[in-house]
Coordinates of all heavy atoms in Angstrom, one line a residue:
M13 N 90.3 -7.3 -17.9 CA 89.9 -8.1 -19.1 C 91.2 -8.8 -19.5 O 92.2 -8.3 -19.7 CB 89.4 -7.1 -20.2 CG 89.1 -7.9 -21.4 SD 88.3 -6.9 -22.7 CE 89.7 -5.9 -23.2
N14 N 91.0 -10.1 -19.7 CA 92.1 -10.9 -20.1 C 92.0 -11.2 -21.7 O 91.1 -11.8 -22.1 CB 92.1 -12.2 -19.4 CG 93.4 -13.1 -19.7 OD1 94.0 -12.9 -20.7 ND2 93.6 -14.0 -18.9
P15 N 92.9 -10.7 -22.5 CA 92.7 -10.8 -23.9 C 92.8 -12.3 -24.4 O 92.3 -12.7 -25.5 CB 93.9 -10.0 -24.5 CG 94.9 -9.9 -23.4 CD 94.1 -10.0 -22.2
Y16 N 93.3 -13.2 -23.6 CA 93.4 -14.6 -24.0 C 91.9 -15.3 -23.8 O 91.7 -16.3 -24.3 CB 94.4 -15.4 -23.1 CG 95.8 -15.0 -23.3 CD1 96.5 -14.1 -22.4 CD2 96.4 -15.2 -24.5 CE1 97.7 -13.7 -22.6 CE2 97.7 -14.8 -24.8 CZ 98.4 -14.1 -23.9 OH 99.6 -13.7 -24.1
H17 N 91.1 -14.6 -23.1 CA 89.7 -15.1 -23.0 C 88.8 -14.7 -24.2 O 87.6 -15.1 -24.4 CB 89.0 -14.6 -21.8 CG 89.6 -15.1 -20.5 ND1 89.2 -14.7 -19.2 CD2 90.5 -16.1 -20.3 CE1 89.9 -15.3 -18.4 NE2 90.7 -16.2 -18.9
L18 N 89.4 -13.7 -25.0 CA 88.6 -13.3 -26.2 C 88.8 -14.3 -27.5 O 89.9 -14.9 -27.5 CB 89.1 -11.9 -26.6 CG 88.9 -10.8 -25.6 CD1 89.5 -9.5 -26.1 CD2 87.4 -10.6 -25.2
D19 N 87.8 -14.4 -28.2 CA 87.9 -15.2 -29.4 C 87.4 -14.4 -30.6 O 86.2 -14.1 -30.8 CB 86.8 -16.5 -29.2 CG 87.0 -17.5 -30.2 OD1 88.0 -17.5 -31.0 OD2 86.1 -18.4 -30.3
P20 N 88.3 -13.9 -31.4 CA 87.9 -13.1 -32.5 C 87.2 -13.9 -33.6 O 87.8 -14.7 -34.3 CB 89.3 -12.6 -33.0 CG 90.3 -13.7 -32.7 CD 89.7 -14.3 -31.4
V21 N 85.9 -13.7 -33.6 CA 85.1 -14.3 -34.7 C 84.2 -13.3 -35.3 O 84.0 -12.1 -34.9 CB 84.2 -15.3 -34.0 CG1 84.9 -16.5 -33.4 CG2 83.3 -14.7 -33.0
P22 N 83.7 -13.6 -36.6 CA 82.8 -12.6 -37.3 C 81.6 -12.4 -36.5 O 81.2 -13.3 -35.6 CB 82.5 -13.3 -38.6 CG 83.7 -14.4 -38.8 CD 84.0 -14.8 -37.4
N23 N 80.9 -11.3 -36.8 CA 79.7 -11.0 -36.0 C 78.5 -12.1 -36.1 O 77.9 -12.4 -35.1 CB 79.1 -9.6 -36.5 CG 78.0 -9.2 -35.6 OD1 78.1 -9.2 -34.4 ND2 76.9 -8.8 -36.3
A24 N 78.4 -12.7 -37.3 CA 77.4 -13.7 -37.5 C 77.6 -14.9 -36.6 O 76.7 -15.5 -36.0 CB 77.5 -14.2 -39.0
V25 N 78.9 -15.3 -36.3 CA 79.2 -16.4 -35.5 C 78.9 -16.0 -34.0 O 78.4 -16.8 -33.3 CB 80.7 -16.8 -35.6 CG1 81.2 -17.9 -34.6 CG2 80.9 -17.4 -37.0
N26 N 79.3 -14.8 -33.8 CA 79.1 -14.3 -32.3 C 77.6 -14.3 -32.0 O 77.1 -14.7 -30.9 CB 79.6 -12.9 -32.2 CG 79.7 -12.5 -30.7 OD1 80.1 -13.3 -29.9 ND2 79.5 -11.3 -30.5
V27 N 76.7 -13.8 -33.0 CA 75.3 -13.8 -32.8 C 74.8 -15.2 -32.5 O 74.0 -15.4 -31.6 CB 74.6 -13.1 -34.0 CG1 73.1 -13.3 -33.9 CG2 75.0 -11.6 -34.0
L28 N 75.1 -16.1 -33.4 CA 74.7 -17.5 -33.3 C 75.1 -18.2 -32.0 O 74.5 -19.2 -31.6 CB 75.1 -18.3 -34.5 CG 74.5 -17.9 -35.9 CD1 75.0 -18.7 -36.9 CD2 73.0 -17.8 -35.8
R29 N 76.2 -17.7 -31.4 CA 76.5 -18.3 -30.1 C 75.6 -17.8 -28.9 O 75.7 -18.3 -27.9 CB 77.9 -17.9 -29.7 CG 79.0 -18.6 -30.6 CD 80.4 -18.1 -30.3 NE 81.4 -18.8 -31.1 CZ 82.7 -18.5 -30.9 NH1 83.2 -17.7 -30.1 NH2 83.6 -19.3 -31.7
G30 N 74.9 -16.8 -29.1 CA 74.1 -16.3 -28.1 C 72.7 -16.9 -27.9 O 72.5 -18.0 -28.3
E31 N 71.9 -16.3 -27.2 CA 70.5 -16.8 -27.0 C 69.4 -16.0 -27.6 O 68.2 -16.0 -27.1 CB 70.3 -16.8 -25.4 CG 71.3 -17.7 -24.7 CD 71.2 -17.6 -23.2 OE1 70.2 -17.0 -22.8 OE2 72.0 -18.3 -22.5
S32 N 69.7 -15.4 -28.7 CA 68.8 -14.5 -29.4 C 67.7 -15.4 -30.2 O 68.0 -16.7 -30.3 CB 69.5 -13.6 -30.4 OG 70.1 -14.3 -31.4
F33 N 66.8 -14.8 -30.8 CA 65.7 -15.5 -31.6 C 66.5 -16.1 -32.8 O 66.2 -17.2 -33.3 CB 64.7 -14.6 -32.1 CG 63.7 -14.3 -30.9 CD1 63.6 -12.9 -30.6 CD2 62.9 -15.2 -30.4 CE1 62.7 -12.6 -29.5 CE2 62.0 -14.9 -29.4 CZ 61.9 -13.6 -28.9
S34 N 67.5 -15.4 -33.4 CA 68.2 -15.8 -34.6 C 69.0 -17.0 -34.2 O 69.0 -18.0 -35.1 CB 69.1 -14.7 -35.0 OG 68.5 -13.6 -35.3
A35 N 69.6 -17.1 -33.1 CA 70.4 -18.2 -32.7 C 69.5 -19.4 -32.4 O 69.8 -20.6 -32.9 CB 71.2 -17.9 -31.4
A36 N 68.4 -19.2 -31.8 CA 67.5 -20.3 -31.5 C 66.9 -20.9 -32.7 O 66.8 -22.1 -33.0 CB 66.3 -19.8 -30.6
N37 N 66.6 -20.1 -33.8 CA 66.0 -20.5 -35.0 C 67.1 -21.2 -35.9 O 66.7 -22.2 -36.5 CB 65.4 -19.4 -35.9 CG 64.0 -19.0 -35.3 OD1 63.3 -19.8 -34.8 ND2 63.7 -17.8 -35.4
A38 N 68.2 -20.7 -35.9 CA 69.3 -21.4 -36.5 C 69.7 -22.8 -36.0 O 70.2 -23.6 -36.7 CB 70.5 -20.5 -36.5
A39 N 69.4 -23.0 -34.8 CA 69.8 -24.2 -34.1 C 68.7 -25.3 -34.4 O 69.0 -26.5 -34.1 CB 69.9 -24.0 -32.6
K40 N 67.6 -24.8 -34.9 CA 66.5 -26.0 -35.2 C 66.9 -26.8 -36.3 O 67.5 -26.4 -37.3 CB 65.2 -25.2 -35.6 CG 64.6 -24.4 -34.4 CD 63.3 -23.7 -34.8 CE 62.9 -22.9 -33.6 NZ 61.6 -22.1 -33.9
T41 N 66.6 -28.1 -36.2 CA 66.9 -29.1 -37.2 C 65.7 -29.6 -37.9 O 65.9 -30.4 -38.8 CB 67.7 -30.2 -36.6 OG1 66.9 -30.9 -35.6 CG2 69.0 -29.8 -36.0
E42 N 64.5 -29.3 -37.5 CA 63.3 -29.8 -38.0 C 62.3 -28.6 -38.1 O 62.4 -27.6 -37.3 CB 62.6 -30.8 -37.2 CG 63.4 -32.0 -37.1 CD 62.7 -33.1 -36.2 OE1 61.9 -32.7 -35.3 OE2 63.1 -34.2 -36.2
C43 N 61.4 -28.6 -39.1 CA 60.4 -27.6 -39.2 C 59.3 -27.9 -38.2 O 59.3 -28.9 -37.5 CB 59.8 -27.7 -40.6 SG 58.5 -29.0 -40.9
P44 N 58.3 -27.0 -38.0 CA 57.3 -27.2 -36.9 C 56.5 -28.5 -37.1 O 56.0 -29.1 -36.1 CB 56.4 -26.0 -37.0 CG 57.3 -24.9 -37.6 CD 58.3 -25.6 -38.5
E45 N 56.5 -29.0 -38.3 CA 55.7 -30.3 -38.6 C 56.6 -31.5 -38.4 O 56.2 -32.6 -38.6 CB 55.2 -30.3 -40.0 CG 54.1 -29.1 -40.2 CD 52.9 -29.3 -39.4 OE1 52.4 -30.5 -39.2 OE2 52.3 -28.4 -38.8
G46 N 57.9 -31.3 -38.1 CA 58.8 -32.4 -37.9 C 59.6 -32.8 -39.1 O 60.3 -33.9 -39.0
H47 N 59.5 -32.2 -40.2 CA 60.4 -32.6 -41.4 C 61.7 -32.0 -41.1 O 62.0 -30.9 -40.7 CB 59.8 -31.9 -42.7 CG 58.2 -32.4 -42.9 ND1 57.3 -31.4 -42.9 CD2 57.7 -33.6 -43.1 CE1 56.1 -32.0 -43.1 NE2 56.4 -33.3 -43.1
P48 N 62.7 -32.7 -41.6 CA 64.1 -32.3 -41.3 C 64.5 -31.1 -42.2 O 64.1 -31.0 -43.3 CB 65.0 -33.5 -41.7 CG 64.2 -34.3 -42.7 CD 62.7 -34.0 -42.3
Y49 N 65.4 -30.2 -41.7 CA 65.9 -29.2 -42.5 C 67.2 -29.8 -43.1 O 68.3 -29.5 -42.7 CB 66.3 -28.0 -41.6 CG 65.1 -27.2 -41.3 CD1 64.8 -26.8 -40.0 CD2 64.3 -26.7 -42.3 CE1 63.7 -25.8 -39.7 CE2 63.1 -25.9 -42.0 CZ 62.9 -25.4 -40.8 OH 61.9 -24.6 -40.4
S50 N 67.0 -30.6 -44.1 CA 68.1 -31.1 -44.9 C 68.4 -30.3 -46.1 O 67.6 -29.4 -46.5 CB 67.9 -32.5 -45.3 OG 66.8 -32.7 -46.1
Q51 N 69.4 -30.5 -46.7 CA 69.8 -29.8 -48.0 C 68.8 -30.0 -49.0 O 68.5 -29.1 -49.8 CB 71.2 -30.2 -48.4 CG 71.8 -29.2 -49.4 CD 73.3 -29.5 -49.7 OE1 73.8 -30.4 -49.3 NE2 73.9 -28.5 -50.4
E52 N 68.2 -31.3 -49.1 CA 67.3 -31.6 -50.2 C 65.9 -31.0 -49.9 O 65.1 -30.8 -50.7 CB 67.1 -33.1 -50.3 CG 68.5 -33.7 -50.7 CD 69.3 -34.1 -49.4 OE1 68.8 -34.2 -48.4 OE2 70.6 -34.1 -49.6
N53 N 65.6 -30.8 -48.6 CA 64.2 -30.4 -48.2 C 64.1 -29.0 -47.7 O 63.1 -28.6 -47.2 CB 63.8 -31.3 -47.0 CG 62.3 -31.2 -46.6 OD1 61.5 -31.1 -47.6 ND2 62.0 -31.1 -45.4
T54 N 65.1 -28.2 -47.9 CA 65.1 -26.8 -47.4 C 65.5 -25.9 -48.5 O 66.4 -25.9 -49.2 CB 66.1 -26.6 -46.2 OG1 65.8 -27.7 -45.3 CG2 66.0 -25.3 -45.7
Y55 N 64.6 -24.8 -48.5 CA 64.9 -23.6 -49.5 C 65.4 -22.5 -48.5 O 64.7 -22.2 -47.6 CB 63.6 -23.2 -50.2 CG 63.8 -21.9 -50.9 CD1 64.5 -21.8 -52.1 CD2 63.2 -20.7 -50.4 CE1 64.7 -20.6 -52.8 CE2 63.4 -19.5 -51.0 CZ 64.1 -19.4 -52.2 OH 64.3 -18.2 -52.8
V56 N 66.5 -22.0 -48.9 CA 67.0 -20.8 -48.1 C 66.8 -19.5 -49.0 O 67.4 -19.5 -50.1 CB 68.5 -21.0 -47.7 CG1 69.1 -19.8 -47.1 CG2 68.6 -22.3 -47.0
H57 N 66.1 -18.5 -48.5 CA 65.9 -17.3 -49.2 C 67.2 -16.6 -49.4 O 68.0 -16.4 -48.5 CB 64.9 -16.4 -48.4 CG 64.4 -15.3 -49.2 ND1 65.1 -14.1 -49.4 CD2 63.2 -15.2 -50.0 CE1 64.4 -13.4 -50.1 NE2 63.3 -13.9 -50.5
P58 N 67.6 -16.3 -50.7 CA 68.8 -15.6 -51.0 C 69.2 -14.4 -50.3 O 70.4 -14.1 -50.0 CB 68.8 -15.5 -52.5 CG 67.3 -15.5 -52.9 CD 66.6 -16.3 -51.9
T59 N 68.2 -13.5 -49.9 CA 68.6 -12.3 -49.3 C 68.4 -12.3 -47.8 O 69.2 -11.7 -47.1 CB 67.8 -11.1 -50.0 OG1 66.4 -11.4 -49.7 CG2 68.2 -10.9 -51.4
T60 N 67.3 -12.9 -47.4 CA 67.1 -13.0 -45.9 C 67.6 -14.0 -45.2 O 67.8 -14.0 -44.0 CB 65.5 -12.9 -45.6 OG1 65.0 -14.2 -46.1 CG2 64.9 -11.8 -46.3
G61 N 68.0 -15.2 -45.9 CA 68.5 -16.3 -45.2 C 67.5 -17.1 -44.5 O 67.8 -18.2 -43.9
G62 N 66.2 -16.8 -44.6 CA 65.1 -17.6 -43.9 C 65.0 -19.0 -44.6 O 65.2 -19.1 -45.8
R63 N 64.6 -19.9 -43.8 CA 64.5 -21.3 -44.3 C 63.0 -21.7 -44.6 O 62.1 -21.2 -43.7 CB 65.1 -22.3 -43.4 CG 66.6 -22.1 -43.2 CD 67.1 -23.2 -42.2 NE 66.6 -23.0 -40.9 CZ 67.1 -23.7 -39.9 NH1 67.9 -24.6 -40.1 NH2 66.7 -23.5 -38.6
L64 N 62.8 -22.5 -45.5 CA 61.4 -22.9 -45.7 C 61.4 -24.4 -46.0 O 62.3 -24.9 -46.9 CB 60.8 -22.2 -47.0 CG 59.4 -22.6 -47.5 CD1 58.4 -22.1 -46.5 CD2 59.2 -22.0 -48.8
C65 N 60.6 -25.2 -45.4 CA 60.5 -26.6 -45.5 C 59.8 -26.9 -46.8 O 58.6 -26.5 -47.0 CB 59.8 -27.3 -44.4 SG 59.4 -29.0 -44.6
L66 N 60.4 -27.6 -47.8 CA 59.9 -27.9 -49.1 C 58.7 -28.8 -49.0 O 57.8 -28.7 -49.8 CB 60.9 -28.3 -50.1 CG 62.0 -27.3 -50.4 CD1 63.1 -27.9 -51.3 CD2 61.4 -26.0 -51.0
T67 N 58.8 -29.8 -48.1 CA 57.7 -30.7 -47.9 C 56.4 -30.0 -47.5 O 55.3 -30.2 -48.1 CB 58.1 -31.8 -46.9 OG1 59.2 -32.5 -47.3 CG2 56.9 -32.8 -46.7
C68 N 56.5 -29.1 -46.5 CA 55.3 -28.3 -46.1 C 54.9 -27.4 -47.2 O 53.7 -27.2 -47.4 CB 55.7 -27.6 -44.8 SG 56.0 -28.5 -43.4
K69 N 55.8 -26.8 -48.0 CA 55.5 -26.0 -49.1 C 54.6 -26.7 -50.1 O 53.6 -26.1 -50.6 CB 56.7 -25.4 -49.7 CG 56.5 -24.5 -50.8 CD 56.1 -23.1 -50.5 CE 56.1 -22.3 -51.8 NZ 54.8 -22.0 -52.4
R70 N 55.1 -27.9 -50.5 CA 54.3 -28.7 -51.4 C 52.9 -29.0 -51.0 O 52.0 -28.9 -51.7 CB 55.2 -30.0 -51.8 CG 56.4 -29.7 -52.6 CD 57.1 -31.0 -53.0 NE 58.4 -30.8 -53.4 CZ 59.5 -31.0 -52.7 NH1 59.5 -31.5 -51.5 NH2 60.7 -30.6 -53.1
M71 N 52.8 -29.4 -49.7 CA 51.5 -29.7 -49.1 C 50.6 -28.5 -49.1 O 49.4 -28.6 -49.5 CB 51.6 -30.4 -47.7 CG 52.2 -31.7 -47.7 SD 52.1 -32.5 -46.1 CE 52.9 -31.3 -45.0
T72 N 51.1 -27.4 -48.8 CA 50.3 -26.1 -48.8 C 49.9 -25.8 -50.2 O 48.7 -25.4 -50.5 CB 51.1 -25.0 -48.3 OG1 51.5 -25.4 -46.8 CG2 50.3 -23.7 -48.2
D73 N 50.8 -25.9 -51.2 CA 50.5 -25.6 -52.6 C 49.5 -26.5 -53.1 O 48.5 -26.2 -53.8 CB 51.7 -25.7 -53.5 CG 52.7 -24.5 -53.2 OD1 52.3 -23.6 -52.5 OD2 53.9 -24.7 -53.7
R74 N 49.5 -27.8 -52.8 CA 48.5 -28.8 -53.3 C 47.1 -28.5 -52.7 O 46.1 -28.6 -53.4 CB 49.0 -30.2 -52.9 CG 50.1 -30.8 -53.8 CD 50.4 -32.2 -53.4 NE 51.6 -32.6 -54.1 CZ 52.7 -33.1 -53.6 NH1 52.7 -33.4 -52.4 NH2 53.7 -33.4 -54.3
A75 N 47.1 -28.2 -51.4 CA 45.8 -27.8 -50.8 C 45.2 -26.6 -51.4 O 44.0 -26.5 -51.7 CB 46.0 -27.6 -49.3
S76 N 46.1 -25.6 -51.7 CA 45.6 -24.4 -52.3 C 45.1 -24.6 -53.7 O 43.9 -24.1 -54.1 CB 46.7 -23.4 -52.3 OG 46.4 -22.1 -53.1
Q77 N 45.8 -25.4 -54.4 CA 45.3 -25.7 -55.8 C 44.0 -26.5 -55.8 O 43.0 -26.3 -56.6 CB 46.4 -26.6 -56.6 CG 47.6 -25.7 -56.9 CD 48.8 -26.7 -57.4 OE1 48.7 -28.0 -57.4 NE2 49.8 -26.1 -57.8
A78 N 43.8 -27.5 -54.8 CA 42.5 -28.2 -54.7 C 41.4 -27.2 -54.4 O 40.3 -27.4 -54.9 CB 42.7 -29.2 -53.6
R79 N 41.6 -26.3 -53.5 CA 40.7 -25.3 -53.1 C 40.2 -24.5 -54.4 O 39.1 -24.2 -54.6 CB 41.1 -24.4 -52.0 CG 41.0 -25.1 -50.6 CD 41.2 -24.1 -49.5 NE 42.4 -23.3 -49.7 CZ 43.6 -23.6 -49.2 NH1 43.8 -24.7 -48.6 NH2 44.6 -22.8 -49.4
H80 N 41.3 -24.1 -55.2 CA 41.0 -23.3 -56.3 C 40.3 -24.0 -57.4 O 39.2 -23.5 -58.0 CB 42.3 -22.8 -56.9 CG 42.2 -21.9 -58.1 ND1 41.7 -20.7 -58.0 CD2 42.5 -22.1 -59.4 CE1 41.7 -20.1 -59.1 NE2 42.2 -21.0 -60.0
R81 N 40.6 -25.3 -57.6 CA 39.8 -26.1 -58.5 C 38.4 -26.4 -58.0 O 37.5 -26.4 -58.9 CB 40.5 -27.4 -58.7 CG 41.7 -27.4 -59.6 CD 42.3 -28.7 -60.1 NE 42.9 -29.5 -59.1 CZ 44.1 -29.5 -58.6 NH1 44.9 -28.6 -59.2 NH2 44.6 -30.2 -57.6
A82 N 38.2 -26.6 -56.9 CA 36.9 -26.8 -56.2 C 36.0 -25.6 -56.5 O 34.9 -25.6 -56.7 CB 37.0 -27.2 -54.8
A83 N 36.6 -24.4 -56.3 CA 35.9 -23.1 -56.4 C 35.6 -22.9 -57.8 O 34.4 -22.5 -58.2 CB 36.7 -22.0 -55.9
Q84 N 36.4 -23.4 -58.8 CA 36.1 -23.2 -60.2 C 35.0 -24.2 -60.6 O 34.1 -23.7 -61.3 CB 37.4 -23.5 -61.0 CG 38.4 -22.3 -61.0 CD 39.6 -22.7 -61.9 OE1 39.9 -23.9 -62.0 NE2 40.1 -21.7 -62.5
R85 N 35.0 -25.4 -60.1 CA 33.9 -26.3 -60.4 C 32.6 -25.8 -59.8 O 31.6 -25.9 -60.4 CB 34.2 -27.7 -59.8 CG 35.3 -28.4 -60.6 CD 35.4 -29.9 -60.2 NE 35.8 -30.1 -58.8 CZ 37.1 -30.2 -58.5 NH1 38.0 -30.3 -59.4 NH2 37.4 -30.4 -57.2
A86 N 32.7 -25.3 -58.6 CA 31.4 -24.8 -58.0 C 30.9 -23.6 -58.7 O 29.6 -23.5 -59.0 CB 31.7 -24.4 -56.5
G87 N 31.8 -22.7 -59.4 CA 31.3 -21.7 -60.2 C 30.7 -22.2 -61.5 O 29.7 -21.5 -61.9
R88 N 31.2 -23.2 -62.0 CA 30.6 -23.7 -63.3 C 29.2 -24.4 -63.1 O 28.4 -24.3 -63.9 CB 31.6 -24.7 -64.0 CG 32.7 -24.0 -64.7 CD 33.5 -25.0 -65.5 NE 34.8 -25.1 -64.7 CZ 35.5 -26.1 -64.6 NH1 35.3 -27.2 -65.2 NH2 36.6 -26.1 -63.9
N89 N 29.1 -25.0 -61.9 CA 27.9 -25.7 -61.6 C 26.8 -24.8 -61.2 O 25.6 -25.1 -61.3 CB 28.1 -26.8 -60.5 CG 29.0 -27.9 -60.9 OD1 29.2 -28.1 -62.1 ND2 29.6 -28.6 -60.0
A90 N 27.2 -23.5 -60.8 CA 26.2 -22.6 -60.4 C 25.5 -21.9 -61.5 O 24.4 -21.4 -61.4 CB 26.7 -21.5 -59.5
R91 N 26.0 -22.1 -62.6 CA 25.5 -21.4 -63.9 C 24.3 -22.1 -64.4 O 24.0 -23.2 -64.5 CB 26.5 -21.2 -65.0 CG 27.6 -20.2 -64.6 CD 28.6 -20.2 -65.7 NE 29.8 -19.4 -65.1 CZ 30.8 -19.2 -65.8 NH1 31.0 -19.7 -67.0 NH2 31.9 -18.6 -65.2

């Protein structure tokens, strides 16, 4: 073993240099829908470090609210 070939880095850096699922996900620059993981468009969970695309989250929330409102209207019309 040649000590000059070693690079003393923190464990997190070492993991991200590998080929693990964590490294593959960290290397992604876009969400599955193609929206960029930019600072303005990404929520990073404070404890897990997981990323969430805010554009996709907004679209999901709007669709959920629309379904909820439709269900409420249907319930009122059934009476």
Side-chain angles (χ1 to χ4, degrees):
M13 178 174 72
N14 186 344
Y16 294 107
H17 291 169
L18 299 178
D19 190 12
V21 294
N23 187 49
V25 173
N26 194 41
V27 168
L28 294 179
R29 287 180 178 178
E31 297 177 8
S32 65
F33 289 114
S34 300
N37 283 328
K40 292 178 183 176
T41 60
E42 297 176 341
C43 77
E45 296 297 320
H47 304 117
Y49 280 132
S50 64
Q51 194 168 12
E52 301 83 29
N53 189 45
T54 306
Y55 170 75
V56 179
H57 193 276
T59 56
T60 63
R63 295 182 293 184
L64 179 67
C65 171
L66 294 179
T67 302
C68 290
K69 174 82 168 104
R70 286 184 197 105
M71 289 190 309
T72 302
D73 289 348
R74 286 183 189 126
S76 176
Q77 289 170 355
R79 285 191 306 272
H80 183 71
R81 284 193 291 274
Q84 285 181 329
R85 283 193 296 270
R88 279 187 254 150
N89 291 339
R91 292 180 191 177

